[in-house]
PDB file of all heavy atoms in Angstrom:
ATOM      1  N   ARG G1104     180.293  31.945-212.143  1.00 98.00           N
ATOM      2  CA  ARG G1104     179.639  31.165-211.084  1.00 98.00           C
ATOM      3  C   ARG G1104     180.668  30.560-210.152  1.00 98.00           C
ATOM      4  O   ARG G1104     181.633  29.944-210.605  1.00 98.00           O
ATOM      5  CB  ARG G1104     178.729  30.114-211.706  1.00 98.00           C
ATOM      6  CG  ARG G1104     177.549  30.762-212.409  1.00 98.00           C
ATOM      7  CD  ARG G1104     176.664  29.820-213.200  1.00 98.00           C
ATOM      8  NE  ARG G1104     175.630  30.623-213.856  1.00 98.00           N
ATOM      9  CZ  ARG G1104     175.835  31.294-214.993  1.00 98.00           C
ATOM     10  NH1 ARG G1104     176.977  31.188-215.611  1.00 98.00           N
ATOM     11  NH2 ARG G1104     174.877  32.056-215.489  1.00 98.00           N
ATOM     12  N   PHE G1120     172.211  39.250-214.458  1.00 98.00           N
ATOM     13  CA  PHE G1120     172.740  39.910-215.645  1.00 98.00           C
ATOM     14  C   PHE G1120     171.630  40.738-216.270  1.00 98.00           C
ATOM     15  O   PHE G1120     170.464  40.565-215.929  1.00 98.00           O
ATOM     16  CB  PHE G1120     173.261  38.875-216.639  1.00 98.00           C
ATOM     17  CG  PHE G1120     174.303  37.960-216.071  1.00 98.00           C
ATOM     18  CD1 PHE G1120     174.169  36.584-216.172  1.00 98.00           C
ATOM     19  CD2 PHE G1120     175.404  38.462-215.413  1.00 98.00           C
ATOM     20  CE1 PHE G1120     175.126  35.736-215.635  1.00 98.00           C
ATOM     21  CE2 PHE G1120     176.369  37.624-214.870  1.00 98.00           C
ATOM     22  CZ  PHE G1120     176.221  36.255-214.985  1.00 98.00           C
ATOM     23  N   PRO G1121     171.989  41.615-217.222  1.00 98.00           N
ATOM     24  CA  PRO G1121     170.938  42.408-217.875  1.00 98.00           C
ATOM     25  C   PRO G1121     169.858  41.533-218.518  1.00 98.00           C
ATOM     26  O   PRO G1121     168.706  41.930-218.613  1.00 98.00           O
ATOM     27  CB  PRO G1121     171.713  43.203-218.934  1.00 98.00           C
ATOM     28  CG  PRO G1121     173.094  43.326-218.368  1.00 98.00           C
ATOM     29  CD  PRO G1121     173.339  42.038-217.643  1.00 98.00           C
ATOM     30  N   SER G1122     170.232  40.356-218.945  1.00 97.00           N
ATOM     31  CA  SER G1122     169.269  39.450-219.592  1.00 97.00           C
ATOM     32  C   SER G1122     168.251  38.911-218.608  1.00 97.00           C
ATOM     33  O   SER G1122     167.206  38.397-219.004  1.00 97.00           O
ATOM     34  CB  SER G1122     170.009  38.265-220.205  1.00 97.00           C
ATOM     35  OG  SER G1122     170.550  37.456-219.169  1.00 97.00           O
ATOM     36  N   GLY G1123     168.556  38.965-217.324  1.00 97.00           N
ATOM     37  CA  GLY G1123     167.696  38.353-216.329  1.00 97.00           C
ATOM     38  C   GLY G1123     168.239  37.023-215.837  1.00 97.00           C
ATOM     39  O   GLY G1123     167.785  36.502-214.831  1.00 97.00           O
ATOM     40  N   ARG G1124     169.192  36.452-216.578  1.00 97.00           N
ATOM     41  CA  ARG G1124     169.851  35.259-216.067  1.00 97.00           C
ATOM     42  C   ARG G1124     170.637  35.624-214.817  1.00 97.00           C
ATOM     43  O   ARG G1124     170.926  36.792-214.586  1.00 97.00           O
ATOM     44  CB  ARG G1124     170.780  34.662-217.129  1.00 97.00           C
ATOM     45  CG  ARG G1124     170.038  33.861-218.200  1.00 97.00           C
ATOM     46  CD  ARG G1124     170.837  33.705-219.477  1.00 97.00           C
ATOM     47  NE  ARG G1124     172.224  33.343-219.238  1.00 97.00           N
ATOM     48  CZ  ARG G1124     172.672  32.069-219.199  1.00 97.00           C
ATOM     49  NH1 ARG G1124     171.839  31.079-219.421  1.00 97.00           N
ATOM     50  NH2 ARG G1124     173.940  31.830-218.981  1.00 97.00           N
ATOM     51  N   ASP G1263     177.348  44.409-215.659  1.00 98.00           N
ATOM     52  CA  ASP G1263     178.013  43.148-215.999  1.00 98.00           C
ATOM     53  C   ASP G1263     179.390  43.350-216.632  1.00 98.00           C
ATOM     54  O   ASP G1263     179.937  42.427-217.223  1.00 98.00           O
ATOM     55  CB  ASP G1263     177.136  42.276-216.908  1.00 98.00           C
ATOM     56  CG  ASP G1263     177.647  40.837-216.984  1.00 98.00           C
ATOM     57  OD1 ASP G1263     178.149  40.349-215.960  1.00 98.00           O
ATOM     58  OD2 ASP G1263     177.570  40.234-218.064  1.00 98.00           O
ATOM     59  N   HIS G1346     176.402  41.806-227.143  1.00 96.00           N
ATOM     60  CA  HIS G1346     175.760  40.987-226.094  1.00 96.00           C
ATOM     61  C   HIS G1346     174.734  41.778-225.295  1.00 96.00           C
ATOM     62  O   HIS G1346     174.127  41.228-224.377  1.00 96.00           O
ATOM     63  CB  HIS G1346     176.758  40.367-225.124  1.00 96.00           C
ATOM     64  CG  HIS G1346     177.929  39.728-225.788  1.00 96.00           C
ATOM     65  ND1 HIS G1346     177.792  38.922-226.901  1.00 96.00           N
ATOM     66  CD2 HIS G1346     179.249  39.790-225.530  1.00 96.00           C
ATOM     67  CE1 HIS G1346     178.980  38.509-227.281  1.00 96.00           C
ATOM     68  NE2 HIS G1346     179.894  39.034-226.475  1.00 96.00           N
ATOM     69  N   TYR G1347     174.556  43.064-225.604  1.00 98.00           N
ATOM     70  CA  TYR G1347     173.523  43.824-224.897  1.00 98.00           C
ATOM     71  C   TYR G1347     172.349  44.040-225.833  1.00 98.00           C
ATOM     72  O   TYR G1347     172.525  44.294-227.024  1.00 98.00           O
ATOM     73  CB  TYR G1347     174.058  45.180-224.437  1.00 98.00           C
ATOM     74  CG  TYR G1347     175.000  45.078-223.262  1.00 98.00           C
ATOM     75  CD1 TYR G1347     176.312  44.699-223.445  1.00 98.00           C
ATOM     76  CD2 TYR G1347     174.558  45.330-221.971  1.00 98.00           C
ATOM     77  CE1 TYR G1347     177.191  44.583-222.379  1.00 98.00           C
ATOM     78  CE2 TYR G1347     175.415  45.220-220.890  1.00 98.00           C
ATOM     79  CZ  TYR G1347     176.726  44.845-221.103  1.00 98.00           C
ATOM     80  OH  TYR G1347     177.575  44.724-220.036  1.00 98.00           O
TER      81      TYR G1347
ATOM     82  P    DA Z 652     180.909  29.920-215.948  1.00 90.08           P
ATOM     83  OP1  DA Z 652     180.508  30.867-214.905  1.00 90.08           O
ATOM     84  OP2  DA Z 652     179.884  29.114-216.662  1.00 90.08           O
ATOM     85  O5'  DA Z 652     181.868  30.644-216.957  1.00 90.08           O
ATOM     86  C5'  DA Z 652     181.401  31.072-218.195  1.00 90.08           C
ATOM     87  C4'  DA Z 652     180.882  32.487-218.045  1.00 90.08           C
ATOM     88  O4'  DA Z 652     181.887  33.409-218.495  1.00 90.08           O
ATOM     89  C3'  DA Z 652     179.636  32.730-218.894  1.00 90.08           C
ATOM     90  O3'  DA Z 652     178.647  33.264-218.063  1.00 90.08           O
ATOM     91  C2'  DA Z 652     180.091  33.717-219.951  1.00 90.08           C
ATOM     92  C1'  DA Z 652     181.252  34.398-219.264  1.00 90.08           C
ATOM     93  N9   DA Z 652     182.280  34.913-220.175  1.00 90.08           N
ATOM     94  C8   DA Z 652     182.884  34.277-221.222  1.00 90.08           C
ATOM     95  N7   DA Z 652     183.780  35.013-221.833  1.00 90.08           N
ATOM     96  C5   DA Z 652     183.762  36.218-221.155  1.00 90.08           C
ATOM     97  C6   DA Z 652     184.481  37.422-221.307  1.00 90.08           C
ATOM     98  N6   DA Z 652     185.401  37.604-222.263  1.00 90.08           N
ATOM     99  N1   DA Z 652     184.208  38.420-220.439  1.00 90.08           N
ATOM    100  C2   DA Z 652     183.266  38.233-219.490  1.00 90.08           C
ATOM    101  N3   DA Z 652     182.539  37.137-219.242  1.00 90.08           N
ATOM    102  C4   DA Z 652     182.834  36.167-220.119  1.00 90.08           C
ATOM    103  P    DC Z 653     177.108  33.165-218.619  1.00 90.08           P
ATOM    104  OP1  DC Z 653     176.176  33.050-217.483  1.00 90.08           O
ATOM    105  OP2  DC Z 653     177.117  32.183-219.707  1.00 90.08           O
ATOM    106  O5'  DC Z 653     176.880  34.592-219.275  1.00 90.08           O
ATOM    107  C5'  DC Z 653     176.820  35.753-218.460  1.00 90.08           C
ATOM    108  C4'  DC Z 653     176.998  36.941-219.336  1.00 90.08           C
ATOM    109  O4'  DC Z 653     178.353  36.985-219.796  1.00 90.08           O
ATOM    110  C3'  DC Z 653     176.200  36.911-220.651  1.00 90.08           C
ATOM    111  O3'  DC Z 653     174.914  37.456-220.429  1.00 90.08           O
ATOM    112  C2'  DC Z 653     177.029  37.790-221.566  1.00 90.08           C
ATOM    113  C1'  DC Z 653     178.383  37.884-220.872  1.00 90.08           C
ATOM    114  N1   DC Z 653     179.532  37.557-221.741  1.00 90.08           N
ATOM    115  C2   DC Z 653     180.580  38.457-221.811  1.00 90.08           C
ATOM    116  O2   DC Z 653     180.541  39.467-221.103  1.00 90.08           O
ATOM    117  N3   DC Z 653     181.605  38.217-222.659  1.00 90.08           N
ATOM    118  C4   DC Z 653     181.604  37.114-223.404  1.00 90.08           C
ATOM    119  N4   DC Z 653     182.642  36.925-224.216  1.00 90.08           N
ATOM    120  C5   DC Z 653     180.554  36.168-223.324  1.00 90.08           C
ATOM    121  C6   DC Z 653     179.544  36.424-222.492  1.00 90.08           C
ATOM    122  P    DG Z 654     173.676  36.596-220.809  1.00 90.08           P
ATOM    123  OP1  DG Z 654     172.509  37.391-220.368  1.00 90.08           O
ATOM    124  OP2  DG Z 654     173.843  35.212-220.328  1.00 90.08           O
ATOM    125  O5'  DG Z 654     173.700  36.562-222.407  1.00 90.08           O
ATOM    126  C5'  DG Z 654     173.488  37.766-223.125  1.00 90.08           C
ATOM    127  C4'  DG Z 654     173.765  37.539-224.589  1.00 90.08           C
ATOM    128  O4'  DG Z 654     175.095  37.030-224.779  1.00 90.08           O
ATOM    129  C3'  DG Z 654     172.841  36.516-225.256  1.00 90.08           C
ATOM    130  O3'  DG Z 654     172.583  36.939-226.579  1.00 90.08           O
ATOM    131  C2'  DG Z 654     173.671  35.236-225.286  1.00 90.08           C
ATOM    132  C1'  DG Z 654     175.069  35.791-225.472  1.00 90.08           C
ATOM    133  N9   DG Z 654     176.050  34.911-224.868  1.00 90.08           N
ATOM    134  C8   DG Z 654     175.970  34.301-223.649  1.00 90.08           C
ATOM    135  N7   DG Z 654     177.006  33.580-223.353  1.00 90.08           N
ATOM    136  C5   DG Z 654     177.839  33.709-224.453  1.00 90.08           C
ATOM    137  C6   DG Z 654     179.092  33.152-224.719  1.00 90.08           C
ATOM    138  O6   DG Z 654     179.753  32.406-224.000  1.00 90.08           O
ATOM    139  N1   DG Z 654     179.584  33.540-225.952  1.00 90.08           N
ATOM    140  C2   DG Z 654     178.927  34.364-226.824  1.00 90.08           C
ATOM    141  N2   DG Z 654     179.549  34.650-227.965  1.00 90.08           N
ATOM    142  N3   DG Z 654     177.746  34.908-226.586  1.00 90.08           N
ATOM    143  C4   DG Z 654     177.257  34.533-225.400  1.00 90.08           C
ATOM    144  P    DC Z 655     171.150  36.864-227.171  1.00 90.08           P
ATOM    145  OP1  DC Z 655     170.148  36.552-226.133  1.00 90.08           O
ATOM    146  OP2  DC Z 655     171.233  36.014-228.366  1.00 90.08           O
ATOM    147  O5'  DC Z 655     170.944  38.361-227.627  1.00 90.08           O
ATOM    148  C5'  DC Z 655     170.978  39.396-226.654  1.00 90.08           C
ATOM    149  C4'  DC Z 655     171.296  40.685-227.369  1.00 90.08           C
ATOM    150  O4'  DC Z 655     172.679  40.657-227.801  1.00 90.08           O
ATOM    151  C3'  DC Z 655     170.468  40.891-228.636  1.00 90.08           C
ATOM    152  O3'  DC Z 655     170.156  42.274-228.755  1.00 90.08           O
ATOM    153  C2'  DC Z 655     171.387  40.428-229.753  1.00 90.08           C
ATOM    154  C1'  DC Z 655     172.757  40.821-229.202  1.00 90.08           C
ATOM    155  N1   DC Z 655     173.869  39.988-229.713  1.00 90.08           N
ATOM    156  C2   DC Z 655     175.028  40.600-230.196  1.00 90.08           C
ATOM    157  O2   DC Z 655     175.092  41.831-230.186  1.00 90.08           O
ATOM    158  N3   DC Z 655     176.028  39.823-230.679  1.00 90.08           N
ATOM    159  C4   DC Z 655     175.915  38.495-230.674  1.00 90.08           C
ATOM    160  N4   DC Z 655     176.928  37.779-231.147  1.00 90.08           N
ATOM    161  C5   DC Z 655     174.742  37.852-230.164  1.00 90.08           C
ATOM    162  C6   DC Z 655     173.743  38.622-229.709  1.00 90.08           C
TER     163       DC Z 655
END
Side-chain angles (χ1 to χ4, degrees):
Chain G
R1104 292 173 183 81
F1120 303 128
S1122 68
R1124 282 159 45 92
D1263 194 35
H1346 314 316
Y1347 286 79

